[in-house]
Amino acid sequence: MLAPILAGVLSLASCASDPTKGYSTQSTYDESVRSVAVPMFENATFSVGLEASLTEAIIKELRLATPWIVTSPGNSETTLSGTIARSDLVSYSRESQTGLVQEVGVRLTVNFDWVDNRTGKTLVARRNFAATEPFVPSLPSGERLSTGEQAVIQELARDIVSELRSNW
């Protein structure tokens, strides 16, 4: 009975107030930032509509996972902007009898910058930042390309927002 209580007290004592010095309950996002603007990402591919879906997914992820407020570009302390540079399909598996592709991956590659509007300093810059998600277009699943695109957009939004964490 005493052992679980003692273990709980000891685990609390091991937490640090600074994430750079061990386990911490503090946010790993920069607390000096209060707002971020996310203008529509550019789309340098022939895949129509990906830029709107990715921008929307990033805004939702920022609201869900960070302490920051998403505002318009003229009112924000920082701006996260980017370009979808590539959209590719990757074959994962083929049917042995026919050679038809059974499983395909959608890969999106983006370039993005997170800039502090107060100082003009680039806080984070990534080039050729990519994510790939599979979908199964063959029967019996018969998933559409949009299924793979939505999955990769969600993954990429989570990954981009994770890249905005403080250096620790």
Side-chain angles (χ1 to χ4, degrees):
M1 179 73 174
L2 186 59
I5 294 171
L6 185 59
V9 170
L10 289 175
S11 69
L12 289 176
S14 64
C15 289
S17 62
D18 181 1
T20 63
K21 296 182 177 151
Y23 293 107
S24 174
T25 57
Q26 297 296 316
S27 175
T28 56
Y29 292 101
D30 187 347
E31 293 183 10
S32 70
V33 173
R34 293 184 308 262
S35 62
V36 60
V38 186
M40 183 73 68
F41 269 49
E42 298 292 321
N43 187 352
T45 74
F46 292 110
S47 299
V48 179
L50 293 179
E51 68 281 2
S53 298
L54 179 60
T55 303
E56 181 182 347
I58 290 170
I59 290 170
K60 286 179 180 177
E61 188 66 21
L62 283 166
R63 289 178 174 155
L64 178 70
T66 72
W68 306 322
I69 297 169
V70 179
T71 62
S72 62
N75 299 327
S76 67
E77 295 175 346
T78 62
T79 301
L80 174 64
S81 59
T83 301
I84 301 173
R86 292 187 62 173
S87 173
D88 302 306
L89 294 177
V90 181
S91 295
Y92 286 140
S93 64
R94 295 184 180 273
E95 207 281 324
S96 62
Q97 300 291 326
T98 64
L100 295 174
V101 175
Q102 288 185 312
E103 188 178 25
V104 179
V106 177
R107 177 183 299 138
L108 289 183
T109 305
V110 299
N111 302 321
F112 68 91
D113 296 295
W114 186 36
V115 177
D116 189 327
N117 297 332
R118 301 165 292 187
T119 64
K121 179 182 172 189
T122 299
L123 301 171
V124 176
R126 298 288 184 269
R127 300 293 171 263
N128 299 315
F129 192 79
T132 306
E133 285 292 318
F135 72 103
V136 182
S138 63
L139 295 175
S141 296
E143 294 177 333
R144 296 176 182 248
L145 174 61
S146 61
T147 302
E149 288 176 340
Q150 283 304 312
V152 75
I153 284 168
Q154 295 302 317
E155 181 70 24
L156 201 50
R158 281 189 298 270
D159 292 347
I160 289 171
V161 171
S162 289
E163 287 294 305
L164 306 183
R165 293 180 188 270
S166 300
N167 294 329
W168 51 282

